[in-house]
Amino acid sequence: MTALTFSLKDNPRLDRWLRFQDDHTVRIGTGKVELGQGVLTALAQIAAEELDLRIDQVRMMSGNSVEGPGEGYTASSWSIEHSGAAIRLVAAEVRALALARAALRLNAAPDELTVADGAFLKNGAPSGIDYWNIAGELDLSAEATGTVPPKPQSAHRLVGRSVPRLDLPAKLTGSGFIQDMMLPGMLHARTLRQPGPGAVLLQLDEKIIRRRAGGGVRIVRLNNFVAFVGTDETAVRAAAVAATEGAVWDNALSLSPEQATPDWVASQPADDRLMGDPPPELATNRVSARFTRPFLSHGSIAPSCAIALYRDGILAVWSHAQGMHPLRENIARTVGFSLDAVACHHVQGAGCYGHNGADDAALDTALVALALPDQPIRLMWRREEEFGYEPLSSAMTVAVHAGLNAAGRPVDWTTEIWSATHGQRPGVGGASLLAAHAMKTPPPDRKPFDIPLERGGGAARNGIPLYDIGPKRIELHLIHDVPVRTSSLRGLGATLNVFAIEGLLDDLAGQAGEDPVAYRLAILSDPRARRVLEKAAAMANWSSRDAGGRAAGWVSASPATRILRPMRRSSPPSMWTRQCGSRISGAPSTPGSPSIPTEFSTRSKAISSRPSAGR
């Protein structure tokens, strides 16, 4: 028996995953959504492989909270591991059920039958029946048993092969994103954003707003949430701009430039946590380096957008957020509906790659739709809202400390991290949607929370080096009170953590007079990581680089993120230059000290491409 996978345990019914369609296709359900990573194509390959179908016989249904499986958020590179594994087992089991039924029909033994493009062959000859002829005789409301093993790798004909992406034709012809979606009778909407939780709207001159809009605009107000709605998108946008300029608020959030710096963030009260081995004894041969980065925006190609329709007691929402079942739960909780009264459907969006404003725009649109029933509402954030109110990736400071042996190799390691949380997706750790704070009863305050390491980690992700160093630990200073909302951006805290670790290793290799690649291989026993490093070095023609060499070193992450690539120092720095480093060399530090090193010989690290710790 094959053990049921994570997603299949939560969604055991076969028909949540697979249904035979009247048009001689098979609908495959998944709770994971397409963000540009190609996951729907990969999942279709898996299903077609196990069912012996062509890939064009598979129709993917992604992110449907009514009919599809609930698989949480599409995050942490779990889509293939969770959804792909579930689809593989379900397809294998349904294929076996269908073969058994066909054998009865054909008065044959199951091992006499094979499947090609969904048709049954008896001893290699066409039998005249296929999946769809017997679909009505299969009970797909049954739960998966895990008793049918999937095909061995040696039998694969589609998995592992390159096939055309399913999502690209629509995108290449201008119709692939929710921003392009239109419904009959649809109204457009924009919002007046509450300037921070607790802000109270004191004055809004609706006469001036309507005059500035220059067209028919309806104003929807729910406590401190305001939206402008009409048939003319330009007019409702003008109304939102006029309202933003003229609204009078009490207790509005005020930001200062200093609060945008990593040093300000690191100076705030923190929830301190130690992960890994106990702190070391005071070492005399100890080096440290410090790296920082500012708050980072997703920079989505298009602003967040959603469409909603409230009709016959059902609130339907189309969104490009990363989890339709979590979105349904959060919207239902905010508006006081039962789960059965909210239906969320995923539509791909132009830009995501983390927790941006998509979920919040969905609630905004739902609130307007509830106020104006029986009319489809399309609400899109203005670009100013996207940069001003989407969750940002936290500013961070990372200090890495290494104790060295006589050969200059690290024998003890501490990665010390100051950061706000990287995990405030709605529903995670009590987090809520943005407009919920504008309602009469806003959500309660939350305790400091970040994604734990056993779930991949948030600020601390990849903070433990994968090298053979000896005792290793993370000292995390989780900052709770930052003035902006922070959450997940691709890689979370791993981008700076990995860059800091590898930056110090570059320095240590230089101090030891060794080649950076050879230095790393000398302290790296993980066979997979070694193969990746050696392969990357060969691909970069590392051994024959010129004497002046512009390569500054390497970035490698743990096997969990499966990435290792060369980083280059460029001059002048590119627009993506984000990290700056400072270093103290040979200066002892106090183990466990929460303070940031203050005596540095300054240097800068510039990179010629946007840093990444993997997809």
Side-chain angles (χ1 to χ4, degrees), residues 188-191 208-219 227-243 382:
H188 298 277
R190 296 290 190 276
T191 61
I208 291 178
I209 291 170
R210 288 194 169 88
R211 186 169 67 242
R212 291 270 301 272
V217 171
R218 281 185 276 186
I219 300 177
F228 310 94
V229 190
T231 57
D232 185 341
E233 187 173 13
T234 301
V236 297
R237 187 185 188 286
V241 172
R382 293 176 294 125

Side-chain angles (χ1 to χ4, degrees), residues 194-545:
Q194 183 189 30
V200 177
L201 181 59
L202 298 180
Q203 183 178 329
L204 188 67
D205 192 328
E206 296 187 4
K207 185 180 296 184
I208 291 178
I209 291 170
R210 288 194 169 88
R211 186 169 67 242
R212 291 270 301 272
V217 171
R218 281 185 276 186
I219 300 177
V220 173
R221 179 170 179 179
L222 300 166
N223 302 295
N224 296 299
F225 173 84
V226 183
F228 310 94
V229 190
T231 57
D232 185 341
E233 187 173 13
T234 301
V236 297
R237 187 185 188 286
V241 172
T244 302
E245 294 172 353
V248 179
W249 295 88
D250 180 41
N251 197 32
L253 178 65
S254 178
L255 301 176
S256 68
E258 179 191 23
Q259 292 173 307
T261 65
D263 286 347
W264 184 90
V265 171
S267 69
Q268 302 308 299
D271 179 34
D272 298 333
R273 304 170 188 180
L274 174 66
M275 309 173 199
D277 297 315
E281 298 295 329
L282 188 64
T284 55
N285 190 13
R286 184 174 171 84
V287 296
S288 300
R290 175 179 177 268
F291 300 79
T292 65
R293 78 172 198 191
F295 290 100
L296 299 176
S297 168
H298 292 82
S300 299
I301 296 173
S304 296
C305 180
I307 295 173
L309 172 64
Y310 181 52
R311 177 176 290 166
D312 299 331
I314 300 296
L315 176 61
V317 179
W318 292 264
S319 167
H320 59 114
Q322 291 180 256
M324 290 301 101
H325 284 76
L327 182 64
R328 177 181 67 164
E329 294 171 8
N330 284 288
I331 289 178
R333 185 185 309 117
T334 304
V335 303
F337 277 21
S338 67
L339 288 179
D340 292 340
V342 180
C344 291
H345 309 275
H346 184 262
V347 183
Q348 296 178 43
C352 185
Y353 239 59
H355 177 198
N356 63 358
D359 301 84
D360 301 310
L363 176 59
D364 293 347
T365 316
L367 293 173
V368 178
L370 289 173
L372 302 172
D374 296 322
Q375 297 177 91
I377 306 296
R378 174 186 181 269
L379 187 148
M380 188 164 75
W381 281 14
R382 293 176 294 125
R383 179 63 72 185
E384 297 91 327
E385 287 177 274
E386 194 71 36
F387 280 114
Y389 293 95
E390 67 155 355
L392 302 177
S393 185
S394 178
M396 293 179 65
T397 296
V398 176
V400 281
H401 314 280
L404 304 180
N405 62 18
R409 301 276 167 72
V411 293
D412 183 271
W413 191 280
T414 301
T415 302
E416 195 171 11
I417 303 166
W418 290 261
S419 174
T421 177
H422 292 253
Q424 292 202 79
R425 293 183 188 275
V428 176
S432 53
L433 294 163
L434 189 58
H437 295 270
M439 299 295 103
K440 183 178 181 180
T441 304
D445 291 337
R446 303 166 53 235
K447 295 180 179 179
F449 174 84
D450 200 15
I451 303 169
L453 276 182
E454 57 267 25
R455 289 170 48 198
R461 178 172 290 189
N462 291 122
I464 296 289
L466 54 84
Y467 299 99
D468 308 329
I469 290 177
K472 294 179 280 192
R473 68 201 61 80
I474 296 172
E475 293 181 9
L476 172 61
H477 310 286
L478 183 63
I479 314 296
H480 189 233
D481 296 321
V482 292
V484 295
R485 192 167 46 139
T486 61
S487 193
S488 303
L489 189 148
R490 197 61 196 171
L492 287 75
T495 49
L496 186 57
N497 294 334
V498 172
F499 193 81
I501 290 168
E502 300 297 337
L504 182 56
L505 283 173
D506 279 342
D507 289 349
L508 297 180
Q511 290 181 11
E514 296 186 37
D515 175 88
V517 174
Y519 184 88
R520 284 169 169 80
L521 288 173
I523 56 173
L524 184 61
S525 62
D526 183 283
R528 186 181 180 197
R530 286 184 63 89
R531 288 197 300 272
V532 172
L533 180 55
E534 291 165 347
K535 179 68 174 177
M539 294 174 67
N541 204 17
W542 180 259
S543 60
S544 62
R545 68 194 185 281

Side-chain angles (χ1 to χ4, degrees), residues 49-50 149-156:
E49 186 74 78
E50 292 299 330
K151 291 180 179 178
Q153 183 177 350
S154 59
H156 287 172

